[in-house]
């Protein structure tokens, strides 16, 4: 079974590892689409703290991840799902319902987000340190 998930994974934290490990547990191969810096700017209106190259390096170093690629556009998901012969698409439940239309190509599963941690909060905490 091939599993795919997508994300920016900026300022890598335990919430990211939880979803990646849970996704990997569903099949034999986990493929991760890491948002390009440009796509992240479009989605969130800011440049990631860690650049695309470093975010890819971090994700590809994880033992639960088999393959990574740069997600260049949100509109290409159907193509990635077909190209990588994906059986299951996994996302956190902040995306609940948003990817249901891909169920014509593969199973779509949303896992609950890890509570009380996010890249945005970490940035705020670090900024507040004097
Ligand atoms: N996540 C989580 N728990 C957290 C924080 C994040 O489970 N506390 C999950 C998110 O739900 C997502 C993944 O970790 O499935 C990556 O999170 P982000 O880097 O914030 O991903 P995002 O920028 O939302 O990109 O095409 C979809 C996008 O590329 C998703």
């Amino acid at each position: 079974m091939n599993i795919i998930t997508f994300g920016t994974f900026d300022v890598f934290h335990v919430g990211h590892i939880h979803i990646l490990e849970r996704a990997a547990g569903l099949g034999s191969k986990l493929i991760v689409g890491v948002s390009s810096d440009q796509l992240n700017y479009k989605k969130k209106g800011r440049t990631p703290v860690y650049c695309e190259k470093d975010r890819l390096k971090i994700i590809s170093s994880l033992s639960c991840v088999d393959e990574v690629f740069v997600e260049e556009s949100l509109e290409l998901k159907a193509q990635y799902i077909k190209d990588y012969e994906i059986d299951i698409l996994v996302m956190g439940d902040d995306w609940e319902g948003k990817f249901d239309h891909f169920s014509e190509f593969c199973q779509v599963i949303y896992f609950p987000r890890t509570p009380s941690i996010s890249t945005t909060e970490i940035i705020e905490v670090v900024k507040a340190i004097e």
Side-chain angles (χ1 to χ4, degrees):
M1 294 270 262
N2 291 339
I3 317 298
I4 198 166
T5 193
F6 296 90
T8 310
F9 303 103
D10 190 24
V11 190
F12 193 76
H13 60 67
V14 74
H16 295 143
I17 195 68
H18 281 158
I19 193 163
L20 291 172
E21 285 181 343
R22 285 191 77 179
L26 295 174
S28 48
K29 188 170 181 188
L30 176 62
I31 298 146
V32 183
V34 176
S35 304
S36 68
D37 288 343
Q38 212 183 2
L39 175 56
N40 193 73
Y41 190 80
K42 264 195 227 158
K43 280 193 302 189
K44 301 187 180 173
R46 65 168 173 80
T47 309
V49 177
Y50 295 169
C51 70
E52 180 181 308
K53 188 168 142 279
D54 290 356
R55 290 182 290 109
L56 278 160
K57 173 74 184 169
I58 291 167
I59 302 300
S60 64
S61 308
L62 301 171
S63 59
C64 62
V65 173
D66 297 287
E67 202 169 328
V68 294
F69 65 92
V70 180
E71 183 187 24
E72 302 279 3
S73 159
L74 295 177
E75 274 69 57
L76 290 174
K77 279 201 177 57
Q79 196 57 50
Y80 298 134
I81 288 168
K82 284 182 208 159
D83 290 350
Y84 288 100
E85 299 180 345
I86 296 303
D87 301 292
I88 309 176
L89 164 63
V90 169
M91 289 302 298
D93 64 0
D94 46 327
W95 292 92
E96 183 88 52
K98 300 263 168 44
F99 297 117
D100 288 357
H101 52 289
F102 294 118
S103 54
E104 65 172 296
F105 308 118
C106 65
Q107 198 183 339
V108 180
I109 296 179
Y110 304 96
F111 282 135
R113 273 171 71 91
T114 302
S116 314
I117 187 152
S118 73
T119 300
T120 311
E121 271 177 57
I122 295 169
I123 294 170
E124 291 309 314
V125 168
V126 172
K127 268 192 201 161
I129 295 172
E130 290 179 10

